[in-house]
Amino acid sequence: MVNPSRIFLDNAATTPLDPEVLATMTQVMADTYGNPSSIHAEGRKARSLIEAARKTVANALNCSIGEIFFTSGGTEANNMALKNAVRDLGVKRIISSPLEHHCVLHSLEAIRATGAVEIEMVAIDEKGHVDLADLERRLASDDRKTLVSLMHANNEIGNLLPLKEVAKLCGDAGALFHCDTVQTMGYYPIDLAATRVSFVSGSAHKFYGPKGVGFVYINSDNIVGPFVDGGAQERNMRGGTENIYGIVGLAKALQRAVEQREVRMSHMHELKAYFMEQLRSRYPEVTFNGDPEQGHAKVLSVSFPQSPKGDLLLMNLDLNGISASGGSACSSGIDVGSHVVGHLYPDSPRHTIRFSFSHHNTRGEVDAVVERLGGML
Ligand code: PLP
């Protein structure tokens, strides 16, 4: 599945489809054509596949099947959580962070434009962590109904949020808590029976599943109405005939990610540490954005010093068979710039490349990248 002539280090953007997931999906595509809403045998067969997939997801998160709603991906899941919470749960204030994914930040802008809520941004420390004391102060300072929206792992720098601690702070303050878990789903254990979170989100293509399918968990204490008006699909939350093949693929991919979590994670941790060590010894002027020792095993945001070739770094990597992502503080050349790196290192002339790993990557690939970088800096 992975093109052997290239080195794919952009697994935070997306991951290649797991061949076993593909096999499961193609089998269902060949065999199952019923509409899950039909009551005849073909329909019931399709429905049973969707409900089995829901059960797999609920088991992985230790929650009830009635709390999982399939969506078109992480963007829709986050839109649904935020917009429905404001519309249906009496939220008057949202506390979020400037480092969230655009699907959260742009949803918040749209919500702000309605005038329904006030939006505050929590302080971020110099390593890109949420300042928990500031969050606690903000939660205590106002008794209006509050929703906190903070991501579990930052997709650009990899920093991890202490999920349990934030859930407790929100719970103690009576605030709702939405956590964008798109980058950690299938990578880090999330036990929703033990951790009080109101909403989490998942996206299959981040854990070796298909693109265009995801889910939102909505804690059953929160009764919200439809996000997409139409038929009664997804218990009235999202009208429209379900993406059966995507949903089945999502569940299979999540199940495999959970089963293989330890092996995959230890491989990625090892690879990331090795990459950091090799970069440090070969290019002492290289630094790392965020807090890589603490962060997600799959993400390494590397900061290269300003140089005449720097603007072309991402393109040169591509030409040399290496796929990675840009995201410097300021936009330049083919790099559109990053609000995350820009927030942490305003106006920095340095060049950021995000390398992100999968369990398919090898030490040999890391060695090749370190070697080939020599001609590009
Ligand atoms: N949230 C985070 C943290 C992400 O990294 C992404 C994908 O880049 C999303 C949300 C959006 O997910 P999707 O691509 O499924 O819409």
Side-chain angles (χ1 to χ4, degrees), residues 66-283:
E67 295 175 310
I68 300 296
F69 300 87
F70 292 112
T71 65
S72 66
T75 297
E76 184 185 322
N78 288 331
N79 267 262
M80 191 187 285
L82 295 167
K83 292 175 180 171
N84 280 14
V86 170
R87 191 190 63 193
D88 299 335
L89 301 175
V91 171
K92 294 285 173 251
R93 179 175 70 137
I94 298 178
I95 305 174
S96 188
S97 100
L99 308 189
E100 299 304 301
H101 190 269
H102 275 142
C103 68
V104 167
L105 292 177
H106 293 166
S107 290
L108 295 182
E109 277 169 26
I111 291 168
R112 194 204 302 269
T114 67
V117 291
E118 227 170 76
I119 294 170
E120 298 175 16
M121 291 293 168
V122 73
I124 299 291
D125 72 17
E126 71 286 352
K127 284 189 159 178
H129 293 295
V130 169
D131 179 341
L132 295 184
D134 183 56
L135 176 62
E136 195 171 3
R137 256 193 316 276
R138 285 173 189 276
L139 283 167
S141 72
D142 195 320
D143 55 13
R144 286 174 300 171
K145 181 83 179 173
T146 298
L147 167 71
V148 172
S149 177
L150 293 170
M151 68 207 307
H152 193 192
N154 187 280
N155 51 300
E156 296 196 34
I157 54 173
N159 282 20
L160 286 161
L161 185 79
L163 184 63
K164 287 195 172 139
E165 222 176 309
V166 173
K168 182 161 182 340
L169 286 179
C170 294
D172 290 351
L176 298 168
F177 176 31
H178 161 250
C179 191
D180 175 352
T181 49
V182 163
Q183 288 291 347
T184 50
M185 190 62 61
Y187 294 84
Y188 289 86
I190 298 170
D191 181 346
L192 293 170
T195 318
R196 206 174 161 67
V197 188
S198 318
F199 308 93
V200 305
S201 45
S203 177
H205 75 103
K206 305 291 185 184
F207 48 84
Y208 311 92
K211 292 166 193 28
V213 61
F215 66 89
V216 61
Y217 155 86
I218 304 181
N219 180 287
S220 57
D221 289 349
N222 305 309
I223 309 298
V224 295
F227 183 68
V228 177
D229 295 309
Q233 290 92 350
E234 295 303 293
R235 290 183 311 294
N236 288 317
M237 280 292 289
R238 184 177 189 265
T241 302
E242 298 88 337
N243 172 7
I244 312 172
Y245 318 117
I247 290 170
V248 166
L250 178 149
K252 180 76 178 174
L254 186 59
Q255 186 187 0
R256 283 180 51 78
V258 169
E259 281 164 7
Q260 297 180 17
R261 173 157 34 223
E262 275 162 38
V263 184
R264 291 181 181 183
M265 287 302 277
S266 74
H267 180 79
M268 285 186 285
H269 269 299
E270 198 268 332
L271 215 55
K272 176 174 165 179
Y274 179 66
F275 196 14
M276 287 174 73
E277 184 190 298
Q278 294 301 306
L279 283 171
R280 277 186 176 128
S281 69
R282 182 82 184 262
Y283 310 107

Side-chain angles (χ1 to χ4, degrees), residues 354-365:
R354 179 191 67 181
F355 296 97
S356 50
F357 310 101
S358 81
H359 53 279
H360 299 298
N361 294 123
T362 62
R363 272 183 175 235
E365 289 181 325

